Amino acid sequence: MSDSRLFKILYYLLDKGRTTAPELAEKFEVSPRTIYRDIEALSGSGIPVYTEPGRNGGICLLHDFILDRAVLSEKERQEVLTAIQSMSATGLSSGKETLTKLSGLFHMDTENWLEIDFSRWGKSTCDNSKFEMLKTAITRHLEIKIIYESTCSGRSERILWPLKLSYKSKEWYLKAFCLQKQDFRIFKLNRILELNLLEQTFVPRPYPETEGYQPQTPSRIVLLFPKEIAYRVYDEFDQTEIQIQKNGDFIVHAEMPIDSWLVGYLLSFGSQVEIIEPEYLRGILAAQALEIYKKNKS
């Protein structure tokens, strides 16, 4: 008998509430007879699982059953506490309270070995409030109205179906369905200037998590950086994208959308970056640098 399968059956019942022996047998690739033996083993260990005969019967778990701390190993309990400890750093208001309750339930103290802070330097009240409102909208399937500052179309008002919060490359993003565009979009949280919860609910739909899905198609760019800014090269790019030259300089091969944000980003390196490819991007960057020079020369 596999203890791993017993746990998986229990977690499946916790999620579904009710199932059948043939369904479990197909899922775990064993015979229905084996499933019934597993159910007897779970029942014998004190788990309130039972079978109901008849056409609408099946294998059920007592509706108010709560997973006891004994089901999780010490290592697994510590991992649960660490995960909640990390989530509380996002500004989740109930994180610390949940952490305290589970620490008491597990009879374990959380080791203070990890510190994560996703908020910006300085005041983060607005960030935390925005995070809480979006969490509420996503979990309760509420429409939201936002004022958004876009790199392409400027400031606009949007009605969204918020689907998921995503943290990638040092930034928080909202994955949502935009009613104006009738399409899926990604919104950078820092650019959401106003946020309001609406009373209208929606039926959530899966966000298209296809490999490489981005709001704009990335292009291949090749950049040259001098060795003097090695620290920033490693801050901004993955090591797999970096090639060190014999003289210590760096060649970076990256996939990035070529838009106004990228131009501004490259300008932030000042004279410490040279565009190798694509050729036309060199001209765009040079023209922008010239405009900066004209506006700021004495």
Side-chain angles (χ1 to χ4, degrees), residues 38 71 95 105 117 147 154 164 169 217 238 240-241 253 278 291:
D38 290 342
V71 177
L105 175 65
D117 190 352
I147 303 296
K164 184 183 295 186
S169 188
T217 303
D238 190 85
T240 59
E241 300 174 321
H253 298 259
E291 287 297 317

Side-chain angles (χ1 to χ4, degrees), residues 14 18 73 130 141 170 175 178 228-229:
L14 283 166
R18 177 188 296 268
S73 68
K130 192 183 300 180
H141 310 314
K170 308 175 187 178
K175 295 182 176 182
C178 178
E228 287 76 16
I229 61 166

Side-chain angles (χ1 to χ4, degrees), residues 4 10 12 36 64 66 77 108 114-115 124 141 146 156 167 178 186 220-221 226 255 260 266 269 273 286:
S4 174
L10 175 57
Y12 189 80
Y36 283 119
D64 58 352
I66 298 175
R77 296 200 297 270
M108 296 179 68
L114 177 67
E115 182 176 347
S124 59
H141 310 314
I146 67 170
S156 62
Y167 186 80
C178 178
I186 297 177
R220 180 176 180 271
I221 63 171
E255 296 282 333
S260 58
L266 293 176
F269 288 94
V273 62

Side-chain angles (χ1 to χ4, degrees), residues 229-267:
I229 61 166
Y231 65 92
R232 189 170 177 195
V233 173
Y234 286 112
D235 277 348
E236 304 288 346
F237 301 98
D238 190 85
Q239 279 188 264
T240 59
E241 300 174 321
I242 301 170
Q243 294 179 351
I244 303 177
Q245 307 303 295
K246 290 183 179 180
N247 65 352
D249 291 346
F250 299 91
I251 295 287
V252 172
H253 298 259
E255 296 282 333
M256 305 176 77
I258 297 178
D259 54 15
S260 58
W261 176 89
L262 178 62
V263 174
Y265 171 72
L266 293 176
L267 285 170

Side-chain angles (χ1 to χ4, degrees), residues 98-149:
T98 304
L99 185 63
T100 300
K101 289 181 178 179
L102 283 179
S103 296
L105 175 65
F106 292 162
H107 296 304
M108 296 179 68
D109 292 326
T110 55
E111 296 291 341
N112 191 24
W113 67 276
L114 177 67
E115 182 176 347
I116 301 174
D117 190 352
F118 292 118
S119 63
R120 288 176 281 188
W121 291 104
K123 295 182 179 180
S124 59
T125 305
C126 182
D127 290 343
N128 294 344
S129 173
K130 192 183 300 180
F131 193 95
E132 278 291 318
M133 291 178 69
L134 288 172
K135 183 197 72 172
T136 299
I138 293 170
T139 56
R140 293 173 55 189
H141 310 314
L142 295 174
E143 289 185 359
I144 60 173
K145 180 169 69 173
I146 67 170
I147 303 296
Y148 190 71
E149 191 70 43

Side-chain angles (χ1 to χ4, degrees), residues 48-215:
V49 59
Y50 60 96
T51 59
E52 288 184 345
R55 182 178 179 181
N56 297 320
I59 300 170
C60 310
L61 189 65
L62 203 63
H63 73 279
D64 58 352
F65 170 70
I66 298 175
L67 190 63
D68 187 79
R69 64 186 176 88
V71 177
L72 299 175
S73 68
E74 181 178 351
K75 180 181 178 182
E76 289 169 333
R77 296 200 297 270
Q78 186 63 63
E79 287 175 351
V80 170
L81 294 177
T82 299
I84 296 175
Q85 190 177 31
S86 303
M87 281 301 297
S88 66
T90 65
L92 188 64
S93 61
S94 60
K96 292 183 179 179
E97 182 181 353
T98 304
L99 185 63
T100 300
K101 289 181 178 179
L102 283 179
S103 296
L105 175 65
F106 292 162
H107 296 304
M108 296 179 68
D109 292 326
T110 55
E111 296 291 341
N112 191 24
W113 67 276
L114 177 67
E115 182 176 347
I116 301 174
D117 190 352
F118 292 118
S119 63
R120 288 176 281 188
W121 291 104
K123 295 182 179 180
S124 59
T125 305
C126 182
D127 290 343
N128 294 344
S129 173
K130 192 183 300 180
F131 193 95
E132 278 291 318
M133 291 178 69
L134 288 172
K135 183 197 72 172
T136 299
I138 293 170
T139 56
R140 293 173 55 189
H141 310 314
L142 295 174
E143 289 185 359
I144 60 173
K145 180 169 69 173
I146 67 170
I147 303 296
Y148 190 71
E149 191 70 43
S150 170
T151 57
C152 301
S153 55
R155 188 169 299 187
S156 62
E157 182 178 282
R158 309 283 190 100
I159 304 294
L160 307 177
W161 292 354
L163 302 174
K164 184 183 295 186
L165 284 171
S166 174
Y167 186 80
K168 185 176 179 62
S169 188
K170 308 175 187 178
E171 298 289 349
W172 279 105
Y173 296 89
L174 172 67
K175 295 182 176 182
F177 185 82
C178 178
L179 296 186
Q180 280 87 339
K181 301 295 183 180
Q182 284 296 299
D183 199 4
F184 296 95
R185 290 289 190 270
I186 297 177
F187 300 90
K188 197 171 183 179
L189 258 62
N190 289 344
R191 297 179 188 164
I192 297 178
L193 307 181
E194 293 183 24
L195 170 64
N196 291 286
L197 299 182
L198 304 179
E199 295 183 357
Q200 181 67 37
T201 60
F202 64 92
V203 177
R205 57 181 68 182
Y207 191 87
E209 302 288 359
T210 54
E211 185 66 26
Y213 183 87
Q214 295 188 23

